Amino acid sequence: MTVFNKKASNNKASNNKVPNKKVAKFLRSTPLQLFAIAGLTAGAFMLMSPSPIIAAANASDTALSVEQQQVKAIIKDALTNDPELLKEAIIALQIREQQGAESAAQSVLQEHHQQLYNTASDPFKGAENPEITMVYFTDFNCPYCKKIEPAINKLVEQYPQLKVVIKMVPLQGEGSRVATELAQTVWLNEPEKYLTLKNKLMESPRGLNGNTIAKVAKMTNTEHWLTNTDSAVAKQVHDNLTLMRNIGLGGTPSMIIGDTVIPGLVSYEVLESTLQQAISSQENKKQAVNDE
């Protein structure tokens, strides 16, 4: 996400007045920040509005308490002397909202950490004893999942310490459901055939249907599972779908690396950058523990 940072300006006109210390202190007072932001925003619109609106606002002054009138006067003075404060206030609010959203997301991921990373029935590829793990929600009939597969495969090749946990979810119709049930059954009973089957299903350029899935099953010597779905599969698929909803994922592909959720189709460079940040963060935490 983009974090906006205000660059200090050294080129203001000499006749611009700098807000006094009382105004600056008020605007940085934590209990009043949100009120100030709202006031700054409202004040800006009032200053730019036609005179009848300003007149109506002035008429309401008598209903305000002395303290409220003082606050309003401070805000008006700040806006008049330095309009840049409005921009600063909006940016501060955006940053605060972003930080709040990120904190909430991390809390949700922590709450569901066990299901995400330690579900024994989940297929995976990459390291058996990983240093870092990525969770990957995918659908066999999702065209964007098919497009991101090469990037994920490359990531596994380039980072041998990486494990990719695969959570299959049938969101794209009957063909998706049949393919998911077949692949999950194969993983539970003949895991050595799983990745070959999965790759062949993903390589199909069009949406999967019964005939296409049957051909792939025959090619991978897994056709005997087409009519013999493992009894555990229904619950596993249901759990994956429920987990998606609980952590707020809207579709596939969706990846989770460390504390970062990557929704949708992204480039290999985005995946690699996020992975490198997660590895660096993990190493820093280990170093901090060792230093204690």
Side-chain angles (χ1 to χ4, degrees):
M1 294 185 180
T2 301
V3 177
F4 295 91
N5 293 311
K6 177 183 178 293
K7 295 182 179 179
S9 174
N10 297 318
N11 299 313
K12 291 184 178 179
S14 59
N15 61 346
N16 280 352
K17 294 173 62 178
V18 178
N20 59 38
K21 293 182 179 180
K22 182 178 179 182
V23 173
K25 183 177 180 181
F26 167 77
L27 290 173
R28 289 168 177 78
S29 175
T30 301
L32 294 175
Q33 280 179 354
L34 292 179
F35 184 82
I37 290 169
L40 285 169
T41 306
F45 283 113
M46 288 176 62
L47 290 174
M48 293 184 293
S49 298
S51 56
I53 296 178
I54 296 177
N58 291 335
S60 66
D61 282 352
T62 56
L64 297 177
S65 69
V66 174
E67 182 179 349
Q68 287 173 323
Q69 290 184 36
Q70 290 175 342
V71 169
K72 183 177 178 181
I74 292 172
I75 292 172
K76 183 177 180 180
D77 181 61
L79 274 174
T80 302
N81 293 328
D82 189 357
E84 283 292 313
L85 287 174
L86 177 61
K87 188 185 296 183
E88 290 183 19
I90 293 173
I91 290 172
L93 180 59
Q94 290 174 332
I95 292 174
R96 177 176 294 186
E97 289 178 343
Q98 177 182 320
Q99 291 172 340
E102 289 174 353
S103 177
Q106 291 175 11
S107 177
V108 169
L109 293 180
Q110 186 61 38
E111 179 183 350
H112 298 284
H113 185 275
Q114 184 69 23
Q115 286 177 281
L116 284 167
Y117 294 97
N118 299 311
T119 300
S121 58
D122 282 339
F124 72 89
K125 57 184 173 183
E128 291 189 14
N129 299 301
E131 297 176 16
I132 190 82
T133 301
M134 177 176 83
V135 179
Y136 171 40
F137 287 85
T138 185
D139 184 327
F140 285 112
N141 260 351
C142 167
Y144 303 109
C145 296
K146 294 178 185 291
K147 290 181 179 180
I148 205 171
E149 282 283 316
I152 291 178
N153 291 337
K154 181 179 178 181
L155 206 65
V156 172
E157 293 172 2
Q158 296 295 318
Y159 294 86
Q161 72 271 42
L162 172 66
K163 175 182 182 179
V164 177
V165 173
I166 303 166
K167 291 186 177 289
M168 298 174 289
V169 287
L171 304 176
Q172 300 284 336
E174 181 66 11
S176 178
R177 180 190 66 79
V178 173
T180 297
E181 290 180 353
L182 172 62
Q184 188 71 52
T185 296
V186 169
W187 170 257
L188 294 175
N189 294 275
E190 293 184 288
E192 69 279 3
K193 296 181 180 180
Y194 170 78
L195 286 179
T196 301
L197 171 66
K198 175 184 174 297
N199 291 339
K200 290 292 183 184
L201 290 170
M202 278 295 184
E203 287 170 4
S204 176
R206 298 180 181 178
L208 296 171
N209 56 38
N211 291 334
T212 307
I213 295 169
K215 290 178 181 178
V216 172
K218 187 174 183 179
M219 290 171 57
T220 56
N221 194 27
T222 57
E223 67 268 29
H224 49 288
W225 297 115
L226 282 170
T227 56
N228 191 23
T229 301
D230 193 289
S231 59
V233 168
K235 182 180 184 305
Q236 291 165 0
V237 172
H238 176 269
D239 288 348
N240 285 347
L241 291 168
T242 301
L243 182 59
M244 276 192 76
R245 288 193 294 269
N246 288 342
I247 61 179
L249 299 180
T252 57
S254 290
M255 290 69 64
I256 302 171
I257 306 176
D259 295 328
T260 303
V261 176
I262 308 174
L265 177 64
V266 296
S267 66
Y268 172 79
E269 288 73 23
V270 170
L271 290 175
E272 183 179 42
S273 175
T274 306
L275 177 61
Q276 289 175 345
Q277 291 174 19
I279 292 172
S280 177
S281 176
Q282 187 170 277
E283 290 174 348
N284 290 339
K285 289 178 182 178
K286 288 181 180 178
Q287 186 62 46
V289 171
N290 293 334
D291 291 343
E292 290 180 354

